[in-house]
């Protein structure tokens, strides 16, 4: 509509811009609702608001007639209007009022960059065209006002029905916050309720917000816009929070983009219980009409919150009653105290709406309260929680014999374990003592993860649950005492019976209790073993001896019942293909009034005693003409050494001749003997090598000295210029150099064979590695091997026995070179890693098979052919490194080589 109006004016009047502005009488402002620019850039934003006072617009409203200014620089133009138009490059201005029955409600403003651009005829034309525009705007306003009032009434009614449809508090609060935005067109809304003390007001529901800070906003009553509305009990409307000094949390407002706000108190029976805070992201969004609508809605919302609280209270009391009933049922239904305590803790967590529960009991020996049950904390954390009377929140509850709480454990100096609260996230706590008469036997604690003040009803409920837990613990204690008394009495009554049974069971004789029918009533362990009868089976005693002897045994036993006399009998029986000799001793048992006659038979296996003489005779014969032989046999891929001892057996008249051969595995003993001999030979060879090296040093020194003297004489006398002696200095230098190299080799050999002793001194491991590789490089069997070193120059000196470490390095390097048959590359590295010094020996050999990797450090274990290895090198090396507080690590990949790592503490 406005654009059609602007096009019509443009056909009759020349202008650079044309705008429509509406008066806001309530705020004494005017709002530019639309702007059309033609020949100049558009510099005035739509929906811009400006104060009415001190402007040409204010003069127009006061006069009620058109106003024309040929040049805004004239002195009669108000300063504000002059500045605004001049900043936008305009010189001439014409204002035509928009009139209705209410008077001037707006204006059409024409502006031109040329002074004197408009005349009276232009103003009259715009006035004529402006009348239908004013009528259309007013009609649209009245129509919108009618629709809005109709929509507001319908929304108010629908909202009141909706928020009272259910009574759950979270649902009611959420519906209220949504309804506010729908009712007055706000960008968002927050519902704040007063805390029980009435000191703070905090948001409990929010709609249309983007930041968590606004959703959880809490401020003291009397501070900020929301706090002032709660304190005064009256609505507060703010057109721009950026310029209002009452705004308390500008950072939150800026983050949310809030510009205007309308706060209306929520009341219950005339008392303020909270505040509805509607906000918009544009300034001046709310009017007095919006305020009246929201106040009317707030009355219904207060009633809905009151009803929801009543419902919540009734549900809470029903839940508390059910929790106490379940706790009481658990106490009376079972004596399993752990299960009962867990039921009580679960009921406490559910009815109080907390995040965790725990229970501690008094430890008699220390007087401390130790946590024994928790629904959430791990056992490793629970076992360390101990408090004394008066310590922490729980200790205060025990001392004062009443519930004690903390709203914020993070900032409460009374907290016993503040670091535990931060680790678990538990922020608030309520503890109640477990009382039995005048004694406190424990305490129950509940926790929440937010700052929270527990109510009086919460304290009463937890105390009631604590009493139930105390009853359960006391019942368990009394039951344990009674059970202990009964058990003690039972032990006393059974002591004699057990004593007799133990004696019978431990006798080295078979003991059988038989009835009058010669059936086995009971047998001890030895009797079951000797005769092979089934334990507990009422078998015939005589039948256990086989058909050939059963009759004799049965007659022997029955005679005991007839004669009532003791007697003994020896029988020879074949059992499981083996001949046994038993001595049976019978003894009748006098019958009592309540029992039938019985007999006790002692069964003694005398087979061993009877055969002893035969064995001694056999041994004599075996040792008469014996001989021994040692043989070496390969069995299952392993070489074994056996000692065979033969002994002939004299033939009997009816038997063929026999011989007995004793086979003894002496592999380990023989290997130990060989290792000792080899060690002696190596020791002797070492001493001989040391002697030879020592003796070689003297002629080597003489050769080097003579070569040096000859070279100096040739130089001094100038003989090197003659053609015959030209090469002599070079040859003499070679002789001297090689002599000294031989001397270094013998020196290294002497140092190796020298006894390292036990003294430790700061040692450069890099230098020790280099000396080791140099020594091995001179050996002919490793001549084709390649040495590579990657040594850390920053390696610190270590307090070690240099000789022992040299022995370790030589053993590891030699093994690596031998594994590569003297041809591959041996890489030696050193580095400082995590406070430890590491020296690595990595080869390119075949690697160590997985099946023997775990045995390579065993003494005398070797994979080398006999005579080429002792199996002691790695075992000794490991012992030396372990003695230095270190370790040897092995990594091997079959086919790709092995890595031995010596790790020593730095």
């Amino acid at each position: 509509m406005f654009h059609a109006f602007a096009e019509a004016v443009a056909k009759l009047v020349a202008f650079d811009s044309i705008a429509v502005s509406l008066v806001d009488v309530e705020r004494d402002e005017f709002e530019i609702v639309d702007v059309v620019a033609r020949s100049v850039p558009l510099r005035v934003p739509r929906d811009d608001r400006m104060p009415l006072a001190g402007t040409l617009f204010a003069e127009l409203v006061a006069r009620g007639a058109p106003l024309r200014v040929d040049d805004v620089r004239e002195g009669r133009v108000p300063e504000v209007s002059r500045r605004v138009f001049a900043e936008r490059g305009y010189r001439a201005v014409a204002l035509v009022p928009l009139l209705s029955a209410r008077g001037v409600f707006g204006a059409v403003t024409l502006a031109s960059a040329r002074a004197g651009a408009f005349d009276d005829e232009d103003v009259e034309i715009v006035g004529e065209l402006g009348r239908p525009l004013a009528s259309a705007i007013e009609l649209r306003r009245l129509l919108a006002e009618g629709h809005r009032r109709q929509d507001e009434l319908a929304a108010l009614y629908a909202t009141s029905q909706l928020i009272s449809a259910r009574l759950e508090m979270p649902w009611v609060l959420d519906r209220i916050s949504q309804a506010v935005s729908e009712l007055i067109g706000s960008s968002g809304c927050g519902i704040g309720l007063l805390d029980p003390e009435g000191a703070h007001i905090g948001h409990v529901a929010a709609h249309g917000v983007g930041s968590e800070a606004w959703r959880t906003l809490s401020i003291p009553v009397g501070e900020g816009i929301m706090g002032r509305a709660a304190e005064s009990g009256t609505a507060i409307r703010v057109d721009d929070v950026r310029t209002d000094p009452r705004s308390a949390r500008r950072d939150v407002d800026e983050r949310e983009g809030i510009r205007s706000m309308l706060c209306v108190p929520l009341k219950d029976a005339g008392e303020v219980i909270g505040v509805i805070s509607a906000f918009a992201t544009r300034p001046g969004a709310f009017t007095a009409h919006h305020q009246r609508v929201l106040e009317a809605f707030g009355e219904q919302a207060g009633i809905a919150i009151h009803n929801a609280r009543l419902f919540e209270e009734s549900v809470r009391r029903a839940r508390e009653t059910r929790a106490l009933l379940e706790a009481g049922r658990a106490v009376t239904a079972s004596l399993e105290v752990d299960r009962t305590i867990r039921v009580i803790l679960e009921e406490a967590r559910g009815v109080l709406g907390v995040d965790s529960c725990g229970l501690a009991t008094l430890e008699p020996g220390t007087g401390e309260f130790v946590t024994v049950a928790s629904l959430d904390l791990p056992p490793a954390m629970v076992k360390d929680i101990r408090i004394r009377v008066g310590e922490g929140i729980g200790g205060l509850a025990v001392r004062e014999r009443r519930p004690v709480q903390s709203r914020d454990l993070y900032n409460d100096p009374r907290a016993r374990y503040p670091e535990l609260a931060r680790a678990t996230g538990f922020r608030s706590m309520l503890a109640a003592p477990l009382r039995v008469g005048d004694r406190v036997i424990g305490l129950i604690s509940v926790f929440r993860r937010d700052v929270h003040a527990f109510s009086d009803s919460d304290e009463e409920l937890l105390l009631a649950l604590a009493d139930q837990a105390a009853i359960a613990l006391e019942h368990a204690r009394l039951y344990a005492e009674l059970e202990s008394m009964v058990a003690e009495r039972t032990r006393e009554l059974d002591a004699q019976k057990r004593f007799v049974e133990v004696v019978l069971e431990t006798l080295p004789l078979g003991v059988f209790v038989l009835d009058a029918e010669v059936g086995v009533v009971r047998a001890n362990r030895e009797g079951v073993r000797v005769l092979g009868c089934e334990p507990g089976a009422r078998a015939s005693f005589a039948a256990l001896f086989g058909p050939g002897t059963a009759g004799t045994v049965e007659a022997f036993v029955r005679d005991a019942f007839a004669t009532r006399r003791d007697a003994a009998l020896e029988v020879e029986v074949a059992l499981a293909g083996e001949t046994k000799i038993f001595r049976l001793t019978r003894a009748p048992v006098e019958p009592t009034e309540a029992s039938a006659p019985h007999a006790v038979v002692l069964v003694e296996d005398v087979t061993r005693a009877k055969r002893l003489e035969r064995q001694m005779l056999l041994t004599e014969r075996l040792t008469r003409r014996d001989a021994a032989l040692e043989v070496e046999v390969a069995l299952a891929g392993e070489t074994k050494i056996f000692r065979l001892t033969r002994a002939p057996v004299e033939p009997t008249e009816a038997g063929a001749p026999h011989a007995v051969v004793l086979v003894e595995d002496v592999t380990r003993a023989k290997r130990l003997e060989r290792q000792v001999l080899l060690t002696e030979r190596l020791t002797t060879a070492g001493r001989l090598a040391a002697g030879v090296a020592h003796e070689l040093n003297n002629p080597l020194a003489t050769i080097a000295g003579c070569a040096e003297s000859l070279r100096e004489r040739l130089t001094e006398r100038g003989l090197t210029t003659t053609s015959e002696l030209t090469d002599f200095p070079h040859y003499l230098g070679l002789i001297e150099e090689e002599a000294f190299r031989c001397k270094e080799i013998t020196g290294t050999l002497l140092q190796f064979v020298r006894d390292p002793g036990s003294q430790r001194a700061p040692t450069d491991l890099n230098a020790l590695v280099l000396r080791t590789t140099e020594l091995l490089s001179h050996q002919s069997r490793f001549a084709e091997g390649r040495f590579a070193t990657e040594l850390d120059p920053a390696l610190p000196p270590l307090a070690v026995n240099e000789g022992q470490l040299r022995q370790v390095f030589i053993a590891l390097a030699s093994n690596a070179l031998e594994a590569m048959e003297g041809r591959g590359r041996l890489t030696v590295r050193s580095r400082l890693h995590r406070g430890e010094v590491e020296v690595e020996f990595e080869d390119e050999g075949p690697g160590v098979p997985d099946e023997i990797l775990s045995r390579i450090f065993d003494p005398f274990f070797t994979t080398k052919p006999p005579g080429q290895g002792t199996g002691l090198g790695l075992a000794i090396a490991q012992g030396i490194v372990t003695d230095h507080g270190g370790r040897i690590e092995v990594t091997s990949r079959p086919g790709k080589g092995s890595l031995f790592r010596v790790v020593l503490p730095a």
Side-chain angles (χ1 to χ4, degrees):
M1 182 177 62
F2 174 70
H3 280 272
F5 167 75
E7 290 296 328
V9 172
K11 294 177 181 179
L12 301 174
V13 179
F15 60 86
D16 290 323
S17 72
I18 183 171
V20 173
S21 303
L22 299 180
V23 178
D24 187 344
V25 179
E26 184 179 337
R27 297 184 176 86
D28 196 25
E29 295 177 343
F30 65 91
E31 179 183 9
I32 302 173
V33 297
D34 209 344
V35 179
V36 174
R38 300 187 66 193
S39 58
V40 296
L42 181 61
R43 298 178 181 177
V44 181
R46 292 178 176 87
D47 298 327
D48 191 20
R49 303 179 69 89
M50 295 181 61
L52 187 61
T55 64
L56 288 173
F57 204 145
E59 293 184 14
L60 176 72
V61 172
R63 291 173 53 182
L67 183 63
R68 190 181 85 241
V69 177
D70 293 332
D71 193 344
V72 296
R73 298 177 183 178
E74 296 177 3
R76 68 184 185 87
V77 177
E79 177 62 28
V80 174
S81 297
R82 182 189 304 116
R83 186 178 67 254
V84 170
F85 286 117
E87 287 175 354
R88 289 160 175 77
Y90 297 137
R91 296 287 299 276
V93 178
L95 286 80
V96 178
L98 296 174
L99 300 172
S100 69
R102 299 181 292 130
V104 178
F105 67 87
V108 176
T109 303
L110 281 79
S112 175
R114 182 171 56 84
F118 307 114
D119 55 18
D120 292 339
E121 184 180 357
D122 294 335
V123 173
E124 185 178 353
I125 291 172
V126 175
E128 289 296 329
L129 294 175
R131 290 189 184 92
L133 176 64
S135 299
I137 293 176
E138 181 67 9
L139 181 61
R140 177 61 182 268
R141 185 188 66 80
L142 294 174
L143 181 61
E145 182 73 17
H147 283 308
R148 187 173 72 250
R149 288 184 180 275
Q150 182 180 355
D151 292 342
E152 287 173 353
L153 290 175
L156 198 59
Y157 174 76
T159 302
S160 64
Q161 294 295 316
L162 185 61
I163 64 176
S164 59
R166 293 173 58 178
L167 293 172
E168 295 86 351
M169 180 63 79
W171 189 89
V172 169
L173 294 173
D174 184 64
R175 286 308 307 164
I176 291 174
S177 63
Q178 292 185 38
V180 169
S181 297
E182 297 169 1
L183 196 62
I184 63 174
S186 61
S187 303
C189 173
I191 307 297
L193 295 181
L194 292 173
D195 61 9
E197 293 79 15
H200 286 76
I201 183 167
H203 280 164
V204 294
H207 177 70
V209 297
S211 65
E212 188 65 21
W214 171 265
R215 193 182 302 276
T216 59
L217 182 63
S218 176
I219 61 175
V221 173
E223 293 186 11
I225 300 170
M226 184 170 66
R228 292 173 186 269
E231 182 183 47
S232 64
T234 58
I236 297 179
R237 188 171 80 252
V238 177
D239 291 330
D240 194 345
V241 296
R242 295 181 181 177
T243 60
D244 196 301
R246 294 172 295 182
S247 179
R249 294 296 303 274
R250 294 188 184 277
D251 56 332
V252 177
D253 296 340
E254 290 290 339
R255 196 176 303 125
E256 197 64 38
I258 298 173
R259 293 298 301 274
S260 54
M261 182 177 289
L262 175 59
C263 294
V264 174
L266 287 167
K267 296 184 178 181
D268 178 14
E271 295 292 331
V272 175
I273 61 172
V275 173
I276 298 177
S277 301
F279 67 84
T281 56
R282 61 186 180 87
F286 304 113
T287 64
H289 173 72
H290 292 139
Q291 180 176 327
R292 290 191 297 271
V293 171
L294 193 56
E295 286 175 339
F297 174 75
E299 294 178 0
Q300 299 184 33
I303 296 172
I305 292 175
H306 173 73
N307 293 337
R309 281 180 168 175
L310 292 178
F311 175 74
E312 191 177 60
E313 181 69 15
S314 64
V315 171
R316 185 182 65 80
R317 291 196 175 276
R319 196 164 56 241
E320 291 175 358
T321 303
R322 185 171 61 254
L324 291 174
L325 179 62
E326 291 296 328
R329 183 178 298 158
V331 170
T332 56
S334 174
L335 288 172
E336 297 181 15
V337 66
D338 292 340
R339 176 182 174 279
T340 302
I341 292 302
R342 186 162 190 86
V343 170
I344 293 175
L345 293 180
E346 289 176 348
E347 292 297 331
R349 179 168 65 178
V351 72
L352 291 172
V354 295
D355 296 307
S356 181
C357 298
L359 187 137
T361 58
L362 179 63
E363 190 175 64
T366 62
E368 296 178 331
F369 288 86
V370 182
T371 301
V372 296
S374 175
L375 293 182
D376 304 283
L377 296 181
M381 186 179 294
V382 168
K383 67 181 180 63
D384 296 329
I385 303 177
R386 291 172 168 265
I387 61 172
R388 292 186 174 274
V389 176
E391 289 183 348
I393 307 302
L396 291 174
V398 171
R399 186 180 67 186
E400 299 177 12
R401 301 171 59 79
R402 66 173 182 83
V404 176
Q405 64 172 288
S406 173
R407 294 182 69 255
D408 188 357
L409 291 171
Y410 292 5
N411 302 303
D412 194 334
R414 301 174 300 169
R416 178 66 178 83
Y417 294 100
E419 70 283 355
L420 181 61
R422 294 183 183 275
T424 57
F426 296 144
R427 196 69 183 269
S428 52
M429 171 185 179
L430 173 63
L434 275 60
R435 303 169 299 184
V436 176
D438 295 333
R439 297 182 296 117
V440 175
I441 63 172
L443 65 100
I444 185 172
S445 304
V446 296
F447 304 88
R448 289 175 62 103
R449 298 185 187 276
D450 58 349
V451 177
H452 178 76
F454 293 93
S455 64
D456 293 341
S457 60
D458 291 338
E459 294 183 354
E460 293 175 2
L461 178 59
L462 186 61
L463 193 58
L465 291 170
D467 291 340
Q468 296 287 352
I471 294 172
L473 292 174
E474 187 65 8
H475 282 183
R477 184 186 66 82
L478 294 175
Y479 176 76
E481 290 181 359
L482 179 60
E483 191 177 44
S484 177
M485 292 173 59
V486 172
E488 181 65 26
R489 182 59 178 162
T490 303
R491 283 193 296 271
E492 292 175 0
L493 293 175
D494 292 342
Q496 293 181 347
K497 179 182 176 182
R498 288 200 306 273
F499 176 75
V500 173
E501 289 178 348
V502 168
V503 171
L504 292 177
E505 288 294 325
T506 56
L507 279 175
L509 303 175
V511 180
F512 293 84
V513 180
L514 309 179
D515 58 17
E517 300 301 323
V518 198
V520 178
V521 177
R522 185 168 181 178
N524 71 343
R525 184 166 50 246
E526 183 65 15
V528 172
R529 186 192 67 79
V530 168
L531 294 184
C533 62
E534 290 292 332
R538 299 181 70 87
S540 171
F541 180 70
L544 299 176
F545 292 87
T549 315
T552 304
V553 172
E554 184 172 354
F556 173 71
V557 175
R558 288 188 182 277
D559 187 58
F561 290 101
T563 62
R564 317 300 297 175
R565 293 200 306 266
D566 301 341
L569 173 68
E570 286 188 1
V571 294
E572 189 168 321
V573 185
L575 295 178
E578 184 179 0
T579 301
K580 294 281 189 177
I581 303 173
F582 297 106
R583 179 182 291 118
L584 309 183
T585 303
R586 75 185 186 194
V589 178
E590 294 295 332
T592 63
E593 296 179 358
S595 64
H598 291 81
V600 175
V601 178
L602 303 181
V603 180
E604 183 181 3
D605 186 355
V606 294
T607 308
R608 184 178 181 83
K610 290 295 182 180
R611 293 179 178 174
L612 184 58
E613 295 178 7
R614 301 177 189 174
Q615 293 176 354
M616 293 177 64
L617 293 174
L618 177 62
T619 303
E620 248 178 67
R621 290 197 298 271
L622 289 175
T623 57
R624 253 186 259 163
R625 286 176 295 172
D626 55 354
L629 174 67
E630 291 184 357
V631 295
E632 192 167 315
V633 183
L635 295 177
E638 185 177 0
T639 302
K640 293 282 189 179
I641 302 174
F642 297 102
R643 179 182 290 121
L644 309 182
T645 304
R646 73 186 184 194
V649 178
E650 293 295 334
T652 62
E653 295 179 359
H658 292 81
V660 175
V661 179
L662 304 180
V663 181
E664 182 183 3
D665 185 354
V666 295
T667 307
R668 184 173 179 83
K670 287 297 180 179
R671 285 182 178 175
L672 289 174
E673 182 180 342
R674 292 177 183 176
Q675 301 297 349
V676 171
L677 292 175
L678 180 60
T679 301
E680 288 293 330
R681 289 198 298 271
L682 290 174
T683 303
T684 303
R687 291 173 179 170
L688 180 61
V692 171
H694 180 71
E695 291 300 325
L696 285 176
N697 274 340
N698 294 330
L700 286 173
T702 301
I703 292 172
C706 291
E708 182 181 6
S709 176
L710 289 173
R711 186 161 50 85
E712 289 177 355
R713 287 184 182 183
L714 289 173
T715 304
E716 291 173 356
R717 298 181 181 183
L719 298 178
T720 57
T721 57
T722 62
S723 60
E724 294 84 356
L725 301 177
T726 302
D727 296 332
F728 271 42
H730 173 67
Y731 292 149
L732 291 173
L734 285 178
I735 294 172
E736 182 182 358
E737 181 180 344
E738 293 300 314
F740 277 115
R741 192 166 71 87
C742 292
K743 184 173 177 58
E744 288 179 1
I745 294 173
T746 58
T748 304
L749 180 61
L750 285 172
Q751 188 178 15
F752 173 69
V753 300
R754 188 177 296 118
D755 182 10
S758 59
Q759 187 175 3
R760 299 180 182 181
T763 303
D764 184 356
L765 293 191
N766 288 339
L768 191 57
V769 168
L770 294 176
R771 286 197 295 272
T772 300
T773 56
E774 181 184 4
L775 177 63
L776 294 176
S777 65
H778 296 306
Q779 298 190 21
S780 59
R781 56 181 179 149
F782 303 142
E784 297 182 16
R786 302 188 306 278
F787 294 87
T789 55
E790 300 174 7
L791 306 180
D792 184 359
L795 207 67
L798 294 187
V800 298
N801 187 302
E802 181 178 352
Q804 291 179 345
L805 260 294
R806 182 171 61 250
Q807 183 177 352
V808 172
F809 291 170
I810 290 176
L812 295 178
S814 299
N815 284 350
L817 292 168
E818 290 173 356
M820 297 184 293
E821 299 180 354
R823 287 191 292 270
R825 183 178 67 176
L826 173 63
T827 303
V828 186
R829 306 182 185 90
S830 69
R831 64 171 174 267
L832 181 65
H833 181 62
R834 295 182 178 177
E836 295 178 322
V837 173
E838 298 180 354
V839 180
E840 294 181 349
F841 295 83
E842 184 176 6
D843 61 58
E844 298 175 343
V848 182
D850 293 339
E851 57 270 16
I852 67 170
L853 188 60
S854 61
R855 300 178 55 198
I856 60 175
F857 292 105
D858 293 346
F860 305 113
F861 176 80
T862 180
T863 58
K864 300 174 183 177
Q868 295 188 18
T870 65
L872 293 173
L874 288 180
I876 294 173
Q878 186 187 47
I880 292 173
V881 174
T882 302
D883 186 55
H884 282 73
R887 62 189 183 276
I888 299 179
E889 300 174 350
V890 185
T891 303
S892 181
R893 293 178 296 174
K896 295 186 179 180
S898 303
L899 185 147
F900 284 74
R901 182 182 297 111
V902 178
V903 183
L904 296 169

